Amino acid sequence: MDKIVNNKIKLEFLSKGENVALARITVAAFVSQLEITLSELEEIKVAVSEAVSNAILHGYQNKPDEIVTIKGILKGYTLVLEIIDQGVGILDIEKAMEPAYSTDPERTGLGFVFMQSFMDEVKVESQVNHGTKVVLVKKISTDLKNTAVS
Amino acid sequence: MSLILHSKKDTLIVRVLGDLDLVSADEIREKIDNSLEETRAQNLLLDLSKITFMDSSGLGVILGRYRQIKEGRGQMIIYGIKPSLKKILEISGIMSLMPVCNTEKEAWELLDEKSVKEA
Ligand SMILES: Nc1ncnc2c1ncn2[C@@H]1O[C@H](COP(=O)(O)OP(=O)(O)O)[C@@H](O)[C@H]1O
Ligand SMILES: [Mg+2]
């Protein structure tokens, strides 16, 4: 029998690298209320890992005592995640989202590429010196059951 | 995350166990680089079969080592790609940049082939 999932979480944690794993595992547990395929779960974990790493690394420039917030909403088969930091913000969002673009020469600039490949929607709101909010939306496939929707 | 490193002739073999993300990337980069320097290895075989999670920070480590090995005119081969890693490796372009093998044995065979060709 299909159960209708309707749930919310809010997670706040310090901007420490160790918490990136905590964030992706928590979100994975949250979406596992749905019957989800392992590959979709992996995709969500990568997207969360990218957004949270960016908040810590770029937003807070590796300062370990700031707060990263994740809000998650699960409504039916749609997952909406917001990853929020109050860090330095992004001056040119379009440029930041270009594949292989990074302000750090040591990095690949693939973070947004993965978020966009693995989620159905990626929205970025940002204000310089005020912070950044990344909104990730994913429709969880219903293939496991009966493929009625899209 | 932990690493198993050993060298054989002029090749360093590295197996990564656990998560390769923001936190472990720096540590892995440092350990591989130190080991490459110590052993003076020219080639690098990277075993990904025991990786439980990887994101773009992990890919940065692989791409960085690749550049370094190429500069030293060596060969870098990755092997043991699990299905869960396939997609990010494909999207990143790594699969078309460096040889990808199934097993360590295959990687050695390919390495021997390449050194014969270049000799
Ligand atoms: N939360 C954030 N705060 C400030 N800048 C950010 C944030 N997220 C991303 N950026 C900017 O966008 C660029 C691209 O991000 P990304 O695609 O993840 O690549 P990378 O992390 O490898 O640099 C970063 O280099 C950074 O300049
Ligand atoms: Mg990033």
Side-chain angles (χ1 to χ4, degrees):
Chain A
M1 200 192 82
D2 268 2
K3 63 171 190 231
I4 309 286
V5 175
N6 199 338
N7 207 351
K8 268 189 195 183
I9 52 164
K10 184 179 174 191
L11 187 66
E12 284 185 343
F13 51 88
L14 286 181
S15 47
K16 291 173 186 279
E18 302 91 286
N19 287 335
V20 178
L22 173 106
R24 62 174 177 260
I25 291 165
T26 305
V27 170
F30 178 62
V31 288
S32 294
Q33 295 167 45
L34 290 176
E35 277 184 49
I36 181 170
T37 62
L38 276 180
S39 91
E40 280 178 316
L41 203 56
E42 200 56 35
E43 292 175 355
I44 293 167
K45 276 162 76 179
V46 171
V48 170
S49 202
E50 297 299 345
V52 174
S53 296
N54 281 352
I56 294 174
L57 190 76
H58 302 300
Y60 291 131
Q61 318 255 280
N62 282 316
K63 275 183 282 171
D65 48 2
E66 303 285 340
I67 298 287
V68 180
T69 305
I70 298 184
K71 293 180 186 170
I73 298 175
L74 206 46
K75 203 167 186 190
Y77 284 91
T78 304
L79 170 71
V80 181
L81 295 169
E82 294 182 4
I83 295 92
I84 305 155
D85 69 68
Q86 273 84 46
V88 297
I90 305 173
L91 185 60
D92 187 341
I93 296 174
E94 216 173 299
K95 180 128 215 160
M97 292 178 83
E98 277 174 19
Y101 175 82
S102 178
T103 43
D104 181 342
E106 298 279 295
R107 299 189 55 82
T108 56
L110 287 172
F112 278 122
V113 174
F114 288 163
M115 288 185 246
Q116 282 168 319
S117 309
F118 294 154
M119 306 299 277
D120 293 309
E121 236 181 278
V122 179
K123 281 178 285 185
V124 180
E125 294 165 27
S126 190
Q127 220 185 332
V128 173
N129 293 327
H130 283 83
T132 302
K133 174 159 101 179
V134 175
V135 184
L136 306 171
V137 181
K138 189 173 179 78
K139 302 236 187 308
I140 310 299
S141 75
T142 50
D143 290 359
L144 284 173
K145 314 167 164 231
N146 42 9
T147 324
V149 202
S150 73
Chain B
M1 186 283 305
S2 62
L3 279 188
I4 300 175
L5 302 127
H6 67 276
S7 65
K8 214 171 171 178
K9 287 186 278 180
D10 53 355
T11 300
L12 181 70
I13 303 105
V14 180
R15 171 181 275 189
V16 185
L17 302 99
D19 289 0
L20 213 184
D21 65 0
L22 181 68
V23 202
S24 49
D26 287 336
E27 198 184 325
I28 293 177
R29 184 182 296 118
E30 208 172 294
K31 283 190 174 157
I32 294 181
D33 287 357
N34 288 344
S35 224
L36 282 172
E37 206 171 305
E38 263 168 43
T39 60
R40 298 176 175 270
Q42 207 183 4
N43 306 314
L44 178 62
L45 303 187
L46 190 58
D47 181 354
L48 305 179
S49 65
K50 294 286 183 280
I51 288 185
T52 44
F53 175 84
M54 181 156 81
D55 61 17
S56 72
S57 298
L59 290 167
V61 176
I62 300 180
L63 283 165
R65 286 342 84 197
Y66 176 75
R67 261 182 239 122
Q68 208 172 307
I69 294 288
K70 277 285 138 188
E71 261 171 42
R73 302 191 174 278
Q75 305 287 346
M76 176 168 170
I77 301 173
I78 55 176
Y79 62 95
I81 316 286
K82 291 202 269 193
S84 60
L85 294 192
K86 206 155 189 185
K87 227 176 275 170
I88 62 164
L89 289 168
E90 265 164 11
I91 296 169
S92 70
I94 280 186
M95 306 281 264
S96 49
L97 199 62
M98 65 186 89
V100 180
C101 291
N102 290 313
T103 59
E104 182 175 338
K105 185 165 172 276
E106 260 184 53
W108 279 110
E109 284 164 7
L110 187 65
L111 202 60
D112 289 340
E113 235 170 76
K114 285 194 181 249
S115 43
V116 167
K117 245 184 238 162
E118 278 160 31

